[in-house]
């Protein structure tokens, strides 16, 4: 990755910068292959809802120092895979480079959550608030099938807008958007040829702890 500054962004709302086509096909393929390698070391697991134990429709894994997990006991970040007990694989340097380009000045990312959506998977409206550092933005990268992404405000029940996230797109949520409600309504099956098995991978890079 030779371009060290961020390409032009579309400001979708205050604190929401959208980078359509940030990654060209070659960069998407390289990232896809790195995610595959991570998933060999840290296999996908199916998270469950706190209390009820209801399974998520997405499968997850992580790389980086910390990984986000969810089970009957709650949501949390932890340094080890919930099934294998092993440390998460290191974050691929190309992900750290993207973070530096899109979140200049933010402390280094500690967690990369990997979400895998099949044709039927979705994610209900929620806020990301399990991080101690809510000043740092969240950087999201999409690979594979297009997703219909829904973005609201900081209050549940407010007005929302929809955005299509395509393979290679990035979106950065910071400032007033950091606590915005958001979710994935559905994915468009077979809209991309990047993943042989179909589906969509979302990578979400986050700073979790406050910088020392
Ligand atoms: C807006 N993932 O993992 S990424 C999640 O596509 C999550 O898998 C979705 O929501 C996905 O928590 C959406 C876009 C995104 C990520 C983080 C945000 C939007 C956000 C944090 C605050 C506001
Ligand atoms: Fe989220």
């Amino acid at each position: 990755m030779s371009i060290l500054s961020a390409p032009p962004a579309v400001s979708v709302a205050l604190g929401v910068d959208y980078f359509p086509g940030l990654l060209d096909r070659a960069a998407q393929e390289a990232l896809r292959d790195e995610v595959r390698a991570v998933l060999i070391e840290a296999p996908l697991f199916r998270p469950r809802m706190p209390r009820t134990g209801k399974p998520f429709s997405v499968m997850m894994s992580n790389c980086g120092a910390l990984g986000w997990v969810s089970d009957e006991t709650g949501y949390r970040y932890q340094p080890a895979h919930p099934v294998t007990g092993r440390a998460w694989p290191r974050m691929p340097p190309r992900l750290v480079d993207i973070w530096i380009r899109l979140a200049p000045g933010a402390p280094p990312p500690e967690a990369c959550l990997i979400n895998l959506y099949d044709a039927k998977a979705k994610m209900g409206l929620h806020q990301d608030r399990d991080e101690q550092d809510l000043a740092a933005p969240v950087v999201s990268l999409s690979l594979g099938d297009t997703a219909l992404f829904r973005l609201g405000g900081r209050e549940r029940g407010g007005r929302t807008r929809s955005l299509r996230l395509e393979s290679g797109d990035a979106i950065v949520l910071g400032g007033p958007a950091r606590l915005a409600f958001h979710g994935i309504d559905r994915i468009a099956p077979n809209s991309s040829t990047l993943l042989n098995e179909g589906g969509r991978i979302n990578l979400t890079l986050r700073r979790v702890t406050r910088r020392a």
Side-chain angles (χ1 to χ4, degrees):
M1 185 81 65
S2 54
I3 303 169
L4 289 176
S5 63
V10 180
S11 179
V12 168
L14 218 57
V16 184
D17 288 336
Y18 175 46
F19 298 87
L22 177 79
L23 305 176
D24 64 16
R25 178 73 185 205
Q28 293 171 43
E29 289 174 355
L31 192 51
R32 171 199 67 196
D33 292 347
E34 289 188 321
V35 170
R36 278 200 187 125
V38 164
L39 294 179
I40 291 170
E41 301 303 314
L44 290 162
F45 60 93
R46 190 172 299 280
R48 301 179 303 277
M49 288 296 290
R51 296 197 322 278
T52 65
K54 183 179 190 284
F56 283 39
S57 62
V58 297
M59 301 275 290
M60 293 183 173
S61 188
N62 293 270
C63 57
L66 293 170
W68 188 87
V69 302
S70 179
D71 62 19
E72 284 79 351
T73 68
Y75 307 130
R76 63 195 173 276
Y77 282 93
Q78 61 182 44
H81 190 287
V83 178
T84 69
R86 295 166 56 193
W88 302 107
R90 66 196 273 270
M91 202 173 307
R94 80 172 59 243
L95 285 178
V96 180
D97 289 349
I98 293 169
W99 172 272
I100 291 170
R101 284 171 74 201
L102 299 192
E110 294 173 304
C112 173
L113 174 62
I114 301 167
N115 293 146
L116 176 70
Y117 294 77
D118 68 14
K120 291 174 172 174
K122 52 192 165 54
M123 190 176 287
L125 273 185
H126 66 278
Q127 291 172 300
D128 291 12
R129 49 187 309 164
D130 300 325
E131 301 75 28
Q132 292 156 4
D133 186 346
L134 292 172
V138 174
V139 173
S140 154
L141 300 168
S142 294
L143 295 175
D145 287 339
T146 300
L148 191 61
F149 171 65
R150 186 186 293 269
L151 179 66
R154 294 157 71 124
E155 241 117 301
R156 192 182 280 284
R159 185 179 149 275
T160 65
R161 60 179 297 178
S162 288
L163 212 64
R164 304 169 70 80
L165 296 180
E166 297 183 9
S167 195
D169 291 354
I171 188 164
V172 180
L173 300 302
R178 182 60 183 77
L179 287 174
F181 278 87
H182 60 280
I184 297 292
D185 288 342
R186 59 187 157 81
I187 75 161
N190 306 312
S191 47
S192 162
T193 57
L194 185 71
L195 307 177
N196 281 330
E197 321 74 16
R200 170 175 185 263
I201 291 172
N202 180 259
L203 304 175
T204 308
L205 300 163
R206 298 189 177 87
R207 178 73 190 188
V208 178
T209 66
R210 274 188 287 267
R211 178 150 49 181

